[in-house]
Amino acid sequence: MHLKIAILPGDYIGPEVMAVAVPVLEAVLKRSGHTVEHSTHPVGGAGIDLHGKALPDSTLEACRQADAILFGSVGGPKWEKLPPQEQPERASLLPLRKHFRLYANVRPGLLLKNLIDTSPIRPERIPQGVDMVCIRELTGGLYFGAKSTKPCENGDIEAIDTMVYRKSEIERITDVAIATARGRRKHITLVDKANVLETSVLWRKVVSERIKTTAPDITLATMYIDNAAMQLVLRPAQFDVVLTENMFGDILSDEMAVICGSLGMMASASLGMDINRHGKGYGLYEPSGGTAPDIAGQDKANPCAQVLSVALMLRHSFGLESEAKAIENAVEKTIADGVRTADIAGGGKAVGTQAMGQAILARL
Ligand code: NAD
């Protein structure tokens, strides 16, 4: 297989961790006889500095020509004074999501047994670590519905956000959750607020029908969002695949990230409706964290999230499961061998970004 990847490192630690991830991508493909062609393009603050735009036209065109996007992270203090609509994150990631119709956000929440100490949850609550995936609907709901702010007759002010979901939107994200669950423990927890919201009632109906008719091998549980927020902290091990709408997913996936220790370990995939040249879903793959300006340029960033984004890309956009697993195993082995960056070293001996990358490569 010949893979064509658009690489968008972004700002601050983005290029540092990307410099580790690309050799891992090359090494795993070379070993299994595939070829890769990748080109690097500015995005976010780097796009603004070079082309006056967070998503330069040439970068978007390169993404169109590619099979998948490997993204770093964007933004930081240098561009904070720009108007909101020109801010790196808003003016690059959101248009990319819209352009490539990236409707499904897949965020694995994996806390390795060897890293239990990095979680804020008491170790006795998570003796086996944590292993779940959050599937968040990304292009509907409250964030995309009609919104307005207007003065009222009595001098008050009214602001309105609208939550809209269609059956077809719920079905397609349910299919992503089913496919994900099939590669795991085959259990989906739908998180909603069906005791209050009409959209949640529709979610429950559509998800349960979809699973009943197309995936009887999958078990389904339902949970209200308030209870889910609590259960994630109390008994995270009960979750396998968490399926939820946009805003609930925004909140829960961050809670999940913090339970799993460092942001430096958390990768994510945004999957779209478009199919790439290999007949698989087009997607954007990135670390869950931001640009970490506080540690940028010091060889301190944990590159694992970016490296694990490569694994997600190989799995979802190319169907290369054994290559994806090889990367995940190499990261796990590196950590089990005690090689750790400062964020996961628990005050113990830490290595730098580049040394961590070399250690992962050596174990691949
Ligand atoms: P952040 O995720 O960059 O940092 C939060 C904390 O986590 C910091 O202490 C940081 O050092 C640490 N951290 C994050 N990634 C790490 C890694 N790989 N290794 C070790 N430690 C890591 O969040 P923030 O400070 O709120 O945001 C900084 C900038 O990033 C802002 O401009 C924000 O808008 C942007 N941001 C971008 C994205 C994105 O590109 N998708 C996501 C979130 C934030």
Side-chain angles (χ1 to χ4, degrees):
M1 189 186 282
H2 182 68
L3 291 71
K4 226 174 150 184
I5 315 289
I7 297 198
L8 278 48
D11 309 315
Y12 291 96
I13 64 162
E16 296 174 40
V17 290
M18 193 64 88
V20 168
V22 173
V24 170
L25 168 70
E26 288 170 337
V28 80
L29 290 176
K30 191 170 173 202
R31 206 185 58 168
S32 50
H34 300 291
T35 49
V36 60
E37 179 185 337
H38 54 79
S39 54
T40 303
H41 306 275
V43 71
I48 295 171
D49 289 354
L50 277 166
H51 298 285
K53 238 168 131 179
L55 181 61
D57 298 344
S58 53
T59 299
L60 182 60
E61 184 50 32
C63 294
R64 273 202 206 106
Q65 300 297 327
D67 300 319
I69 305 170
L70 188 60
F71 196 92
S73 39
V74 294
K78 188 173 175 199
W79 306 280
E80 259 165 22
K81 294 208 165 62
L82 289 171
Q85 66 277 13
E86 290 172 31
Q87 290 283 327
E89 237 184 304
R90 185 157 159 189
S92 65
L93 262 178
L94 295 192
L96 276 172
R97 279 182 193 158
K98 199 165 168 200
H99 185 91
F100 293 104
R101 303 185 293 168
L102 305 174
Y103 67 90
N105 185 245
V106 178
R107 244 208 226 193
L110 179 68
L111 174 63
L112 300 172
K113 260 174 110 173
N114 287 299
L115 289 181
I116 285 174
D117 287 349
T118 63
S119 173
I121 306 284
R122 284 210 302 272
E124 61 268 28
R125 288 201 187 276
I126 41 171
Q128 299 303 319
V130 175
D131 182 7
M132 54 189 158
V133 178
C134 182
I135 311 281
R136 166 189 168 195
E137 203 290 326
L138 208 54
T139 52
L142 214 43
Y143 297 172
F144 288 87
K147 41 187 98 241
S148 64
T149 303
K150 59 172 196 259
C152 307
E153 277 173 10
N154 65 358
D156 209 347
I157 302 174
E158 181 178 86
I160 302 175
D161 292 294
T162 323
M163 190 186 249
V164 183
Y165 270 110
R166 298 223 162 96
K167 183 180 171 202
S168 53
E169 289 175 291
I170 303 170
E171 280 175 345
R172 72 181 180 200
I173 189 87
T174 305
D175 290 345
V176 175
I178 289 171
T180 306
R182 283 204 167 121
R184 300 173 45 89
R185 303 192 297 277
K186 296 198 170 117
H187 183 66
I188 296 177
T189 306
L190 170 65
V191 173
D192 61 31
K193 190 72 181 167
N195 50 345
V196 179
L197 298 175
E198 282 295 309
T199 45
S200 286
V201 173
L202 183 66
W203 268 82
R204 272 200 188 193
K205 188 169 178 307
V206 173
V207 172
S208 50
E209 272 172 20
R210 194 77 170 173
I211 290 178
K212 206 157 114 195
T213 53
T214 71
D217 53 320
I218 304 290
T219 53
L220 173 69
T222 54
M223 201 177 271
Y224 295 141
I225 174 68
D226 38 349
N227 186 25
M230 201 166 68
Q231 291 296 329
L232 263 180
V233 177
L234 287 176
R235 283 201 309 124
Q238 72 184 284
F239 296 103
D240 179 18
V241 173
V242 174
L243 168 63
T244 191
E245 63 88 48
N246 202 345
M247 184 180 62
F248 296 160
D250 191 5
I251 299 164
L252 279 191
S253 59
D254 268 21
E255 186 185 347
M256 201 172 83
V258 101
I259 289 168
C260 293
S262 174
L263 270 174
M265 293 300 300
M266 305 284 296
S268 90
S270 298
L271 309 177
M273 275 177 263
D274 299 337
I275 300 295
N276 65 22
R277 293 177 308 137
H278 302 286
K280 301 280 177 193
Y282 191 92
L284 180 150
Y285 303 86
E286 61 177 329
S288 298
T291 56
D294 52 334
I295 55 167
Q298 301 167 45
D299 194 39
K300 278 188 182 165
N302 184 345
C304 290
Q306 190 76 65
V307 168
L308 293 170
S309 308
V310 172
L312 286 181
M313 178 176 80
L314 295 177
R315 174 174 293 129
H316 290 285
S317 279
F318 300 98
L320 296 175
E321 179 60 34
S322 62
E323 287 76 3
K325 208 76 212 123
I327 293 177
E328 289 164 353
N329 288 343
V331 169
E332 191 169 344
K333 175 98 176 64
T334 304
I335 286 165
D337 288 348
V339 187
R340 299 176 187 191
T341 43
D343 57 314
I344 51 172
K349 189 169 171 285
V351 302
T353 310
Q354 290 177 36
M356 190 76 186
Q358 288 305 323
I360 294 169
L361 265 179
R363 286 161 181 80
L364 195 62

